Amino acid sequence: MKKIGILEVVVMLSILITSISLAYKFYSNNGNDYEFDGNQMYKCAWVCEKILDKNFPLNATIIGKWTLSKKPFNGEVEIYDAKGGTLYAIYNGTPITIGGELAYQEDIAAKKIILHPIGKSIIFYELDPIEGKSFRDIANKIENTTKNFNIVDVIVEGSMGVDSKTYTPAERQRIINNLDVDIKKGLELYFVEYGIIINGKIHLNTLKNLDKCIGASNISTSKLTVYVVVNNSIDEIPTKIKEKYAIVTLG
């Protein structure tokens, strides 16, 4: 077995100490926002991953510049993924990438990033398969199970078999274009004869509007997981809800 040298030990200890420090900063933050400079992109991406892994929607204020035009950028984005030192976001309905102050491959070179997680807790539960004649029908049945909560957002995860028609290539592309943002965020579409199979996570409001681009005649879902984002801390959620449902908090 190869012996570990003193330099390797120092490096491993440095990584461990840094990880512990980052974790402490994330979990001990008393506010709901997290602020980073453009030279802290790996740290920022790490925090983004932790928030997104818990299924919290995540917005951010980005201050910096467009890498191509060099024009200033100061705007609100929705972050849907983070890898390495790059953030993947939606700005005005368009996917963009965000890097640090010296970024040249990403769309935005950020000087400052302020993360705004949406909600303080997520109440999640499973629903048995649902049948409906339209996406609005399915969405209403899901929404009926959330009426006892102080809702900020609702995200649904599972599969839907949609009876419709066999779409032509041009029709398929139009549907893909309409759902481009959701596809970037991980939603999967499978076009089959006489319909579509939809798989992944989708916001309830998006589900309600799918009838505008997909003409369904019958829909059957798999067992669904519903994530109800609320603006209540764990202490503010009634005991009867905590006893009945699983809950994830931001901290």
Side-chain angles (χ1 to χ4, degrees):
M1 181 182 295
K2 179 183 177 182
K3 291 184 178 180
I4 299 176
I6 185 67
L7 182 59
E8 292 166 300
V9 172
V10 170
V11 171
M12 287 189 292
L13 284 174
S14 175
I15 293 171
L16 179 61
I17 291 169
T18 301
S19 299
I20 293 171
S21 174
L22 290 177
Y24 176 78
K25 181 174 181 180
F26 174 60
Y27 288 111
S28 65
N29 192 327
N30 292 322
N32 222 31
D33 291 346
Y34 305 86
E35 186 172 322
F36 302 90
D37 293 329
N39 60 0
Q40 297 176 302
M41 289 306 296
Y42 282 89
K43 186 189 294 186
C44 179
W46 183 88
V47 172
C48 289
E49 285 183 87
K50 296 302 176 186
I51 294 169
L52 294 170
D53 284 348
K54 292 188 173 189
N55 292 297
F56 282 93
L58 179 59
N59 292 344
T61 300
I62 309 296
I63 301 170
K65 63 182 179 182
W66 293 96
T67 55
L68 286 180
S69 68
K70 310 301 181 185
K71 291 182 179 179
F73 181 91
N74 187 339
E76 292 286 319
V77 303
E78 177 192 354
I79 296 174
Y80 66 89
D81 198 4
K83 295 176 183 175
T86 302
L87 308 182
Y88 298 82
I90 305 296
Y91 177 66
N92 288 342
T94 302
I96 62 171
T97 54
I98 301 160
E101 249 183 304
L102 301 178
Y104 60 93
Q105 291 183 324
E106 290 85 356
D107 299 304
I108 301 292
K111 185 176 181 179
K112 181 177 289 187
I113 306 103
I114 306 171
L115 304 180
H116 312 292
I118 307 301
K120 296 179 181 177
S121 304
I122 293 179
I123 301 165
F124 66 97
Y125 51 92
E126 287 193 340
L127 286 181
D128 288 332
I130 298 172
E131 301 277 344
K133 297 298 183 183
S134 67
F135 291 104
R136 171 68 70 165
D137 192 13
I138 296 294
N140 287 343
K141 291 179 180 179
I142 295 169
E143 195 168 40
N144 285 339
T145 70
T146 70
K147 292 189 179 298
N148 295 324
F149 308 130
N150 180 20
I151 299 170
V152 176
D153 198 1
V154 179
I155 301 164
V156 182
E157 182 176 17
S159 296
M160 289 180 283
V162 183
D163 291 348
S164 184
K165 67 173 189 174
T166 303
Y167 290 95
T168 67
E171 290 170 332
R172 293 183 185 192
Q173 190 60 55
R174 276 193 288 272
I175 292 171
I176 291 170
N177 292 345
N178 283 326
L179 293 173
D180 178 58
V181 169
D182 299 281
I183 292 170
K184 290 285 194 307
K185 291 160 67 174
L187 191 69
E188 298 174 329
L189 300 182
Y190 301 96
F191 291 93
V192 296
E193 193 172 6
Y194 303 119
I196 303 176
I197 296 171
I198 301 174
N199 185 51
K201 293 179 183 176
I202 188 168
H203 288 262
L204 187 63
N205 285 335
T206 302
L207 181 61
K208 288 179 182 179
N209 292 317
L210 281 185
D211 292 310
K212 295 178 181 178
C213 62
I214 300 174
S217 59
N218 193 31
I219 302 171
S220 181
T221 78
S222 66
K223 183 172 284 190
L224 301 173
T225 302
V226 181
Y227 303 91
V228 182
V229 184
V230 298
N231 224 8
N232 305 95
S233 67
I234 189 71
D235 295 331
E236 296 170 331
I237 296 173
T239 301
K240 62 181 181 180
I241 291 180
K242 289 190 281 191
E243 290 175 345
K244 185 176 180 181
Y245 300 101
I247 299 173
V248 172
T249 59
L250 188 59

